[in-house]
Amino acid sequence: MKIDRIRIWQADLELREGFYAWSTQSFGAFDTTIVAIDTDQGVTGYGETCPLGPAYLPAYPEGARTGIATMAPELIGWDPTELDVINARMDQVMKGHPYAKSAVDMACWDVFGKVTGLPVCHLLGGRAQDRVKLFKVVTRAAPEAMTERLAEYQAAGFTQFQVKVGEDPQRDLARMQACAAAMRPGEVMDADANTGWQQHDALRIAAGMEAIQAAHPEIAVYLEQPCLSYDECLAVRRATRLPMVLDEVMTDPDRLIRGAADRAMDLINLKINRMGGLTRARQMRDLCLHFGIAMTIEDSWGGEIATAAIAHLAASTPASHHWQSSAFQDYHTRAIGTSGVEIDGGWMRPLDRPGLGVSPDFDLLAAPVFDSRA
């Protein structure tokens, strides 16, 4: 089997709730990139990558499309089911830019699943969970608006919430206090600063969060990625009793190994496109299993294809080490493809279909922005 064509589409994922805000950033829609890998045997695989604008991570949507188009001629004629070989080839023709490689790798896994007749979760190690726990993002806003949003999610069956903070320390503490007071016994508040605090502020906020936890022992309070750098986060970690989640600084196996040695975190947020796709995300997942580190398994953002990939990676991860995931397709006003998952309240399961089990809506996407045959 050989790759004989690569196509790229662009779509805007407009947000159902009007906007998404974290740290100091806010968007009303996200620009996503969809890739099709066509083979000489008539099998097509689909992948997706959706950076959150140019200022969140070293990634941006236009760069993803340019990167994929740059690599495309060098991938024609290669076997998409040889995942490690394909990843090595991408690394040969382009240094870095994992977010661009992610969509290609994802599409190759989709091809692999269709060729074998197996869901991707089986190929990633087996269906370790029939369904996976979901969280909902409570976007940064005024405290009363955040508690209203939280109540909507509670009514829908969610019990784990990623509360977006990372702006002004006092306003952030007010947001967390309001959300904690509105939560039910057994629920989880993951206060995610997305690198937004300076170290001195994060230390004071962590002390305030410990007070919130003491006042509400019936819920679980977590602190996620308070500062920009690993060393700043480590300093905060060593000063607090709160469980720590690291996200943006968990960039590769070397950083994960150092974090495990430093006991810098209790959990990590594993984003597929930050790793470069499912192949490299699986490597990080397996290292976390080795070190006993639990994971949020998700992506930066995305539609139906990215959501399916999240579901398959999460379902192949033991429940003991899987903390939560996100179904991004539920945040948008329209679907960009068929759904490959079943969502029931705060739970998600990948459908039992070959590959990722999802295909794009070509009527919505219209003409590709790149075609290797053009």
Short mmCIF file of all heavy atoms in Angstrom, two decimals, residues 294-354:
data_model
loop_
_atom_site.label_atom_id
_atom_site.label_comp_id
_atom_site.label_asym_id
_atom_site.label_seq_id
_atom_site.Cartn_x
_atom_site.Cartn_y
_atom_site.Cartn_z
N ALA A 294 -1.03 9.82 36.09
CA ALA A 294 -2.34 9.85 35.46
C ALA A 294 -2.40 10.95 34.39
O ALA A 294 -1.60 11.88 34.40
CB ALA A 294 -3.43 10.07 36.51
N MET A 295 -3.37 10.83 33.50
CA MET A 295 -3.40 11.71 32.33
C MET A 295 -4.79 12.26 32.02
O MET A 295 -5.79 11.54 32.11
CB MET A 295 -2.95 10.93 31.08
CG MET A 295 -1.49 10.56 31.06
SD MET A 295 -1.20 9.20 29.87
CE MET A 295 -1.63 7.77 30.89
N THR A 296 -4.83 13.53 31.65
CA THR A 296 -5.90 14.06 30.82
C THR A 296 -5.47 13.80 29.39
O THR A 296 -4.38 14.20 28.97
CB THR A 296 -6.08 15.57 31.02
OG1 THR A 296 -6.53 15.81 32.36
CG2 THR A 296 -7.09 16.14 30.04
N ILE A 297 -6.28 13.10 28.62
CA ILE A 297 -5.95 12.79 27.23
C ILE A 297 -6.89 13.58 26.35
O ILE A 297 -8.10 13.40 26.38
CB ILE A 297 -6.06 11.28 26.95
CG1 ILE A 297 -4.97 10.54 27.75
CG2 ILE A 297 -5.93 10.99 25.46
CD1 ILE A 297 -5.00 9.03 27.60
N GLU A 298 -6.30 14.50 25.56
CA GLU A 298 -7.11 15.34 24.70
C GLU A 298 -6.26 15.88 23.56
O GLU A 298 -5.29 15.26 23.14
CB GLU A 298 -7.75 16.48 25.51
CG GLU A 298 -6.76 17.35 26.26
CD GLU A 298 -7.37 18.67 26.70
OE1 GLU A 298 -8.48 19.01 26.28
OE2 GLU A 298 -6.68 19.39 27.46
N ASP A 299 -6.60 17.05 23.05
CA ASP A 299 -5.85 17.73 22.02
C ASP A 299 -5.97 19.21 22.27
O ASP A 299 -6.68 19.63 23.20
CB ASP A 299 -6.38 17.35 20.63
CG ASP A 299 -5.28 17.31 19.58
OD1 ASP A 299 -4.31 18.08 19.71
OD2 ASP A 299 -5.39 16.51 18.63
N SER A 300 -5.29 20.02 21.47
CA SER A 300 -5.44 21.47 21.66
C SER A 300 -6.89 21.88 21.40
O SER A 300 -7.48 22.63 22.17
CB SER A 300 -4.49 22.23 20.73
OG SER A 300 -3.16 21.99 21.12
N TRP A 301 -7.45 21.40 20.30
CA TRP A 301 -8.86 21.61 19.96
C TRP A 301 -9.15 20.77 18.74
O TRP A 301 -8.29 20.03 18.27
CB TRP A 301 -9.15 23.10 19.71
CG TRP A 301 -10.61 23.45 19.93
CD1 TRP A 301 -11.59 23.52 18.98
CD2 TRP A 301 -11.23 23.74 21.18
NE1 TRP A 301 -12.80 23.84 19.57
CE2 TRP A 301 -12.61 24.00 20.91
CE3 TRP A 301 -10.79 23.83 22.49
CZ2 TRP A 301 -13.52 24.32 21.91
CZ3 TRP A 301 -11.69 24.15 23.49
CH2 TRP A 301 -13.04 24.39 23.19
N GLY A 302 -10.36 20.87 18.21
CA GLY A 302 -10.69 20.13 17.00
C GLY A 302 -12.16 19.81 16.91
O GLY A 302 -12.94 20.11 17.82
N GLY A 303 -12.53 19.20 15.80
CA GLY A 303 -13.90 18.79 15.55
C GLY A 303 -14.07 17.29 15.71
O GLY A 303 -13.47 16.65 16.58
N GLU A 304 -14.87 16.69 14.82
CA GLU A 304 -15.23 15.29 14.95
C GLU A 304 -14.02 14.35 14.81
O GLU A 304 -13.94 13.32 15.50
CB GLU A 304 -16.29 14.93 13.92
CG GLU A 304 -17.71 15.33 14.31
CD GLU A 304 -17.93 16.84 14.38
OE1 GLU A 304 -17.16 17.60 13.72
OE2 GLU A 304 -18.87 17.28 15.06
N ILE A 305 -13.08 14.68 13.93
CA ILE A 305 -11.95 13.78 13.72
C ILE A 305 -11.02 13.79 14.93
O ILE A 305 -10.63 12.74 15.44
CB ILE A 305 -11.19 14.17 12.43
CG1 ILE A 305 -12.13 14.09 11.22
CG2 ILE A 305 -10.00 13.24 12.21
CD1 ILE A 305 -11.56 14.68 9.95
N ALA A 306 -10.67 14.99 15.41
CA ALA A 306 -9.82 15.08 16.60
C ALA A 306 -10.49 14.44 17.81
O ALA A 306 -9.84 13.77 18.62
CB ALA A 306 -9.48 16.54 16.88
N THR A 307 -11.80 14.63 17.95
CA THR A 307 -12.52 14.03 19.08
C THR A 307 -12.46 12.51 19.02
O THR A 307 -12.26 11.85 20.06
CB THR A 307 -13.98 14.50 19.10
OG1 THR A 307 -14.02 15.93 19.25
CG2 THR A 307 -14.76 13.86 20.23
N ALA A 308 -12.61 11.94 17.83
CA ALA A 308 -12.51 10.49 17.69
C ALA A 308 -11.12 9.99 18.07
O ALA A 308 -10.98 8.97 18.75
CB ALA A 308 -12.86 10.07 16.27
N ALA A 309 -10.08 10.71 17.64
CA ALA A 309 -8.71 10.31 17.98
C ALA A 309 -8.50 10.34 19.49
O ALA A 309 -7.87 9.43 20.07
CB ALA A 309 -7.72 11.21 17.27
N ILE A 310 -9.02 11.38 20.15
CA ILE A 310 -8.93 11.46 21.61
C ILE A 310 -9.60 10.24 22.24
O ILE A 310 -9.06 9.60 23.15
CB ILE A 310 -9.61 12.75 22.11
CG1 ILE A 310 -8.80 13.98 21.68
CG2 ILE A 310 -9.77 12.72 23.64
CD1 ILE A 310 -9.57 15.29 21.85
N ALA A 311 -10.79 9.92 21.76
CA ALA A 311 -11.56 8.82 22.34
C ALA A 311 -10.82 7.49 22.20
O ALA A 311 -10.81 6.67 23.13
CB ALA A 311 -12.94 8.74 21.69
N HIS A 312 -10.19 7.27 21.05
CA HIS A 312 -9.49 6.00 20.85
C HIS A 312 -8.24 5.89 21.71
O HIS A 312 -7.97 4.83 22.30
CB HIS A 312 -9.14 5.83 19.37
CG HIS A 312 -10.30 5.40 18.53
ND1 HIS A 312 -10.68 4.09 18.39
CD2 HIS A 312 -11.19 6.13 17.79
CE1 HIS A 312 -11.75 4.01 17.60
NE2 HIS A 312 -12.08 5.24 17.22
N LEU A 313 -7.47 6.98 21.82
CA LEU A 313 -6.28 6.94 22.67
C LEU A 313 -6.69 6.77 24.14
O LEU A 313 -6.07 5.99 24.88
CB LEU A 313 -5.45 8.21 22.49
CG LEU A 313 -4.15 8.28 23.29
CD1 LEU A 313 -3.22 7.13 22.93
CD2 LEU A 313 -3.45 9.62 23.08
N ALA A 314 -7.73 7.47 24.55
CA ALA A 314 -8.18 7.36 25.94
C ALA A 314 -8.74 5.97 26.23
O ALA A 314 -8.47 5.39 27.30
CB ALA A 314 -9.23 8.43 26.23
N ALA A 315 -9.51 5.42 25.30
CA ALA A 315 -10.12 4.10 25.53
C ALA A 315 -9.06 3.00 25.62
O ALA A 315 -9.29 1.97 26.25
CB ALA A 315 -11.11 3.78 24.42
N SER A 316 -7.89 3.21 25.00
CA SER A 316 -6.82 2.22 25.05
C SER A 316 -5.93 2.41 26.28
O SER A 316 -4.92 1.71 26.42
CB SER A 316 -5.98 2.27 23.78
OG SER A 316 -5.25 3.49 23.69
N THR A 317 -6.29 3.34 27.15
CA THR A 317 -5.52 3.65 28.36
C THR A 317 -6.27 3.10 29.58
O THR A 317 -7.47 3.33 29.71
CB THR A 317 -5.34 5.17 28.50
OG1 THR A 317 -4.67 5.67 27.33
CG2 THR A 317 -4.52 5.52 29.73
N PRO A 318 -5.61 2.39 30.47
CA PRO A 318 -6.31 1.86 31.66
C PRO A 318 -6.97 2.98 32.46
O PRO A 318 -6.43 4.08 32.60
CB PRO A 318 -5.19 1.19 32.46
CG PRO A 318 -4.14 0.86 31.46
CD PRO A 318 -4.19 1.96 30.44
N ALA A 319 -8.14 2.70 32.99
CA ALA A 319 -8.88 3.70 33.77
C ALA A 319 -8.07 4.18 34.96
O ALA A 319 -8.22 5.33 35.41
CB ALA A 319 -10.21 3.11 34.23
N SER A 320 -7.18 3.34 35.49
CA SER A 320 -6.38 3.72 36.64
C SER A 320 -5.47 4.90 36.35
O SER A 320 -5.07 5.63 37.26
CB SER A 320 -5.53 2.53 37.09
OG SER A 320 -4.69 2.08 36.02
N HIS A 321 -5.11 5.11 35.06
CA HIS A 321 -4.19 6.17 34.69
C HIS A 321 -4.84 7.21 33.77
O HIS A 321 -4.16 8.14 33.34
CB HIS A 321 -2.95 5.59 34.01
CG HIS A 321 -2.06 4.84 34.96
ND1 HIS A 321 -2.40 3.61 35.48
CD2 HIS A 321 -0.87 5.17 35.50
CE1 HIS A 321 -1.43 3.20 36.28
NE2 HIS A 321 -0.50 4.13 36.32
N HIS A 322 -6.10 7.04 33.48
CA HIS A 322 -6.83 8.03 32.68
C HIS A 322 -7.70 8.85 33.61
O HIS A 322 -8.57 8.31 34.31
CB HIS A 322 -7.69 7.35 31.61
CG HIS A 322 -8.57 8.31 30.87
ND1 HIS A 322 -9.90 8.49 31.17
CD2 HIS A 322 -8.29 9.18 29.86
CE1 HIS A 322 -10.41 9.42 30.37
NE2 HIS A 322 -9.45 9.85 29.57
N TRP A 323 -7.47 10.16 33.64
CA TRP A 323 -8.21 11.03 34.55
C TRP A 323 -9.44 11.60 33.87
O TRP A 323 -10.55 11.56 34.41
CB TRP A 323 -7.29 12.15 35.04
CG TRP A 323 -7.87 12.98 36.16
CD1 TRP A 323 -8.61 12.55 37.21
CD2 TRP A 323 -7.74 14.41 36.32
NE1 TRP A 323 -8.94 13.61 38.04
CE2 TRP A 323 -8.42 14.76 37.51
CE3 TRP A 323 -7.10 15.40 35.58
CZ2 TRP A 323 -8.48 16.07 37.96
CZ3 TRP A 323 -7.16 16.71 36.04
CH2 TRP A 323 -7.84 17.04 37.22
N GLN A 324 -9.26 12.12 32.66
CA GLN A 324 -10.38 12.76 31.96
C GLN A 324 -9.98 13.05 30.52
O GLN A 324 -8.80 13.02 30.17
CB GLN A 324 -10.78 14.06 32.67
CG GLN A 324 -9.65 15.07 32.79
CD GLN A 324 -10.03 16.29 33.60
OE1 GLN A 324 -11.07 16.34 34.24
NE2 GLN A 324 -9.16 17.30 33.58
N SER A 325 -11.00 13.31 29.70
CA SER A 325 -10.79 13.70 28.31
C SER A 325 -11.83 14.74 27.94
O SER A 325 -12.73 15.05 28.73
CB SER A 325 -10.88 12.50 27.37
OG SER A 325 -9.75 11.65 27.49
N SER A 326 -11.72 15.27 26.71
CA SER A 326 -12.66 16.28 26.25
C SER A 326 -13.24 15.89 24.90
O SER A 326 -12.53 15.39 24.03
CB SER A 326 -11.97 17.65 26.13
OG SER A 326 -12.89 18.65 25.80
N ALA A 327 -14.54 16.13 24.74
CA ALA A 327 -15.23 15.90 23.45
C ALA A 327 -15.44 17.26 22.79
O ALA A 327 -16.49 17.88 22.94
CB ALA A 327 -16.55 15.19 23.68
N PHE A 328 -14.42 17.73 22.08
CA PHE A 328 -14.48 19.08 21.53
C PHE A 328 -15.61 19.28 20.53
O PHE A 328 -16.11 20.39 20.37
CB PHE A 328 -13.14 19.41 20.86
CG PHE A 328 -12.02 19.64 21.83
CD1 PHE A 328 -10.87 18.87 21.77
CD2 PHE A 328 -12.12 20.59 22.82
CE1 PHE A 328 -9.83 19.08 22.67
CE2 PHE A 328 -11.10 20.81 23.73
CZ PHE A 328 -9.95 20.04 23.65
N GLN A 329 -16.04 18.22 19.86
CA GLN A 329 -17.09 18.38 18.86
C GLN A 329 -18.38 18.93 19.48
O GLN A 329 -19.19 19.55 18.77
CB GLN A 329 -17.37 17.05 18.17
CG GLN A 329 -18.00 15.99 19.05
CD GLN A 329 -18.16 14.66 18.34
OE1 GLN A 329 -17.23 14.16 17.73
NE2 GLN A 329 -19.36 14.09 18.42
N ASP A 330 -18.55 18.76 20.78
CA ASP A 330 -19.76 19.24 21.44
C ASP A 330 -19.76 20.75 21.69
O ASP A 330 -20.78 21.31 22.10
CB ASP A 330 -19.95 18.52 22.78
CG ASP A 330 -20.88 17.33 22.65
OD1 ASP A 330 -21.25 16.98 21.53
OD2 ASP A 330 -21.22 16.73 23.69
N TYR A 331 -18.63 21.42 21.46
CA TYR A 331 -18.53 22.85 21.72
C TYR A 331 -18.90 23.70 20.51
O TYR A 331 -18.93 24.93 20.61
CB TYR A 331 -17.10 23.21 22.16
CG TYR A 331 -16.72 22.72 23.53
CD1 TYR A 331 -16.24 21.42 23.72
CD2 TYR A 331 -16.81 23.54 24.65
CE1 TYR A 331 -15.87 20.97 24.98
CE2 TYR A 331 -16.44 23.10 25.91
CZ TYR A 331 -15.98 21.81 26.07
OH TYR A 331 -15.60 21.36 27.31
N HIS A 332 -19.21 23.08 19.37
CA HIS A 332 -19.33 23.84 18.12
C HIS A 332 -20.77 23.93 17.62
O HIS A 332 -21.62 23.11 17.96
CB HIS A 332 -18.46 23.20 17.04
CG HIS A 332 -17.04 23.03 17.48
ND1 HIS A 332 -16.31 21.89 17.23
CD2 HIS A 332 -16.23 23.86 18.19
CE1 HIS A 332 -15.10 22.02 17.75
NE2 HIS A 332 -15.03 23.20 18.35
N THR A 333 -21.02 24.92 16.78
CA THR A 333 -22.36 25.14 16.25
C THR A 333 -22.71 24.18 15.12
O THR A 333 -23.88 24.01 14.80
CB THR A 333 -22.51 26.59 15.75
OG1 THR A 333 -21.54 26.82 14.71
CG2 THR A 333 -22.30 27.59 16.87
N ARG A 334 -21.70 23.59 14.49
CA ARG A 334 -21.97 22.68 13.38
C ARG A 334 -20.91 21.59 13.33
O ARG A 334 -19.77 21.79 13.76
CB ARG A 334 -21.99 23.43 12.05
CG ARG A 334 -20.70 24.16 11.74
CD ARG A 334 -20.78 24.92 10.43
NE ARG A 334 -19.52 25.61 10.13
CZ ARG A 334 -19.29 26.28 9.03
NH1 ARG A 334 -20.24 26.36 8.11
NH2 ARG A 334 -18.13 26.86 8.82
N ALA A 335 -21.30 20.44 12.81
CA ALA A 335 -20.37 19.32 12.67
C ALA A 335 -19.62 19.44 11.36
O ALA A 335 -20.20 19.83 10.33
CB ALA A 335 -21.12 18.01 12.72
N ILE A 336 -18.35 19.09 11.37
CA ILE A 336 -17.56 19.08 10.13
C ILE A 336 -17.42 17.66 9.59
O ILE A 336 -16.73 17.43 8.60
CB ILE A 336 -16.18 19.70 10.33
CG1 ILE A 336 -15.38 18.96 11.40
CG2 ILE A 336 -16.29 21.18 10.66
CD1 ILE A 336 -13.91 19.33 11.44
N GLY A 337 -18.11 16.71 10.23
CA GLY A 337 -18.07 15.34 9.76
C GLY A 337 -19.00 14.47 10.57
O GLY A 337 -19.66 14.94 11.51
N THR A 338 -19.08 13.20 10.20
CA THR A 338 -19.86 12.26 10.99
C THR A 338 -19.16 12.04 12.33
O THR A 338 -17.94 12.13 12.44
CB THR A 338 -19.97 10.92 10.27
OG1 THR A 338 -18.64 10.39 10.04
CG2 THR A 338 -20.69 11.07 8.93
N SER A 339 -19.92 11.75 13.35
CA SER A 339 -19.33 11.52 14.67
C SER A 339 -18.81 10.09 14.78
O SER A 339 -19.48 9.14 14.36
CB SER A 339 -20.36 11.78 15.77
OG SER A 339 -19.80 11.51 17.04
N GLY A 340 -17.63 9.95 15.34
CA GLY A 340 -17.06 8.63 15.59
C GLY A 340 -17.16 8.21 17.03
O GLY A 340 -16.55 7.22 17.43
N VAL A 341 -17.92 8.96 17.83
CA VAL A 341 -18.03 8.67 19.25
C VAL A 341 -19.49 8.71 19.69
O VAL A 341 -20.34 9.30 19.03
CB VAL A 341 -17.22 9.67 20.11
CG1 VAL A 341 -15.75 9.69 19.68
CG2 VAL A 341 -17.81 11.07 20.04
N GLU A 342 -19.75 8.08 20.81
CA GLU A 342 -21.04 8.17 21.48
C GLU A 342 -20.82 8.90 22.80
O GLU A 342 -19.95 8.52 23.58
CB GLU A 342 -21.58 6.76 21.73
CG GLU A 342 -22.91 6.70 22.44
CD GLU A 342 -23.32 5.26 22.70
OE1 GLU A 342 -23.95 4.66 21.81
OE2 GLU A 342 -22.97 4.73 23.77
N ILE A 343 -21.59 9.96 23.03
CA ILE A 343 -21.44 10.75 24.24
C ILE A 343 -22.70 10.61 25.08
O ILE A 343 -23.82 10.78 24.58
CB ILE A 343 -21.18 12.23 23.90
CG1 ILE A 343 -19.88 12.37 23.10
CG2 ILE A 343 -21.13 13.09 25.16
CD1 ILE A 343 -19.64 13.74 22.54
N ASP A 344 -22.51 10.29 26.34
CA ASP A 344 -23.62 10.12 27.26
C ASP A 344 -23.29 10.87 28.54
O ASP A 344 -22.55 10.38 29.40
CB ASP A 344 -23.87 8.63 27.54
CG ASP A 344 -25.04 8.40 28.49
OD1 ASP A 344 -25.84 9.34 28.70
OD2 ASP A 344 -25.16 7.29 29.04
N GLY A 345 -23.81 12.10 28.66
CA GLY A 345 -23.51 12.91 29.83
C GLY A 345 -22.02 13.16 29.92
O GLY A 345 -21.39 13.65 28.99
N GLY A 346 -21.43 12.78 31.04
CA GLY A 346 -20.01 13.00 31.25
C GLY A 346 -19.13 11.85 30.81
O GLY A 346 -18.01 11.68 31.32
N TRP A 347 -19.59 11.07 29.82
CA TRP A 347 -18.83 9.92 29.35
C TRP A 347 -18.80 9.88 27.83
O TRP A 347 -19.72 10.38 27.17
CB TRP A 347 -19.43 8.61 29.88
CG TRP A 347 -19.43 8.51 31.36
CD1 TRP A 347 -20.39 8.94 32.23
CD2 TRP A 347 -18.39 7.96 32.17
NE1 TRP A 347 -20.03 8.69 33.53
CE2 TRP A 347 -18.79 8.08 33.53
CE3 TRP A 347 -17.16 7.36 31.90
CZ2 TRP A 347 -18.01 7.63 34.59
CZ3 TRP A 347 -16.38 6.90 32.96
CH2 TRP A 347 -16.81 7.05 34.28
N MET A 348 -17.76 9.26 27.28
CA MET A 348 -17.63 9.12 25.83
C MET A 348 -17.03 7.75 25.52
O MET A 348 -16.19 7.24 26.25
CB MET A 348 -16.70 10.23 25.29
CG MET A 348 -16.30 10.10 23.83
SD MET A 348 -15.42 11.57 23.20
CE MET A 348 -13.86 11.46 24.10
N ARG A 349 -17.47 7.18 24.41
CA ARG A 349 -16.87 5.93 23.94
C ARG A 349 -16.69 6.00 22.43
O ARG A 349 -17.56 6.52 21.72
CB ARG A 349 -17.71 4.72 24.33
CG ARG A 349 -19.09 4.66 23.70
CD ARG A 349 -19.85 3.42 24.15
NE ARG A 349 -19.16 2.20 23.81
CZ ARG A 349 -19.29 1.58 22.63
NH1 ARG A 349 -20.07 2.10 21.68
NH2 ARG A 349 -18.65 0.46 22.38
N PRO A 350 -15.57 5.49 21.90
CA PRO A 350 -15.41 5.42 20.45
C PRO A 350 -16.30 4.33 19.88
O PRO A 350 -16.45 3.26 20.47
CB PRO A 350 -13.93 5.08 20.27
CG PRO A 350 -13.55 4.37 21.53
CD PRO A 350 -14.40 4.96 22.61
N LEU A 351 -16.90 4.61 18.73
CA LEU A 351 -17.75 3.62 18.11
C LEU A 351 -16.91 2.46 17.57
O LEU A 351 -15.74 2.62 17.23
CB LEU A 351 -18.55 4.27 16.97
CG LEU A 351 -19.51 5.38 17.40
CD1 LEU A 351 -20.21 5.98 16.19
CD2 LEU A 351 -20.53 4.88 18.41
N ASP A 352 -17.54 1.30 17.49
CA ASP A 352 -16.83 0.09 17.08
C ASP A 352 -16.80 0.00 15.56
O ASP A 352 -17.45 -0.85 14.94
CB ASP A 352 -17.50 -1.13 17.70
CG ASP A 352 -16.65 -2.38 17.58
OD1 ASP A 352 -15.43 -2.25 17.40
OD2 ASP A 352 -17.21 -3.50 17.65
N ARG A 353 -16.03 0.90 14.96
CA ARG A 353 -15.87 0.94 13.51
C ARG A 353 -14.39 0.86 13.17
O ARG A 353 -13.54 1.25 13.97
CB ARG A 353 -16.42 2.26 12.94
CG ARG A 353 -17.90 2.50 13.16
CD ARG A 353 -18.24 3.92 12.73
NE ARG A 353 -19.64 4.26 12.93
CZ ARG A 353 -20.11 5.50 12.89
NH1 ARG A 353 -19.28 6.52 12.68
NH2 ARG A 353 -21.40 5.74 13.08
N PRO A 354 -14.05 0.40 11.97
CA PRO A 354 -12.63 0.38 11.58
C PRO A 354 -12.04 1.78 11.56
O PRO A 354 -12.72 2.76 11.20
CB PRO A 354 -12.66 -0.24 10.18
CG PRO A 354 -13.93 -1.03 10.13
CD PRO A 354 -14.91 -0.25 10.96
#
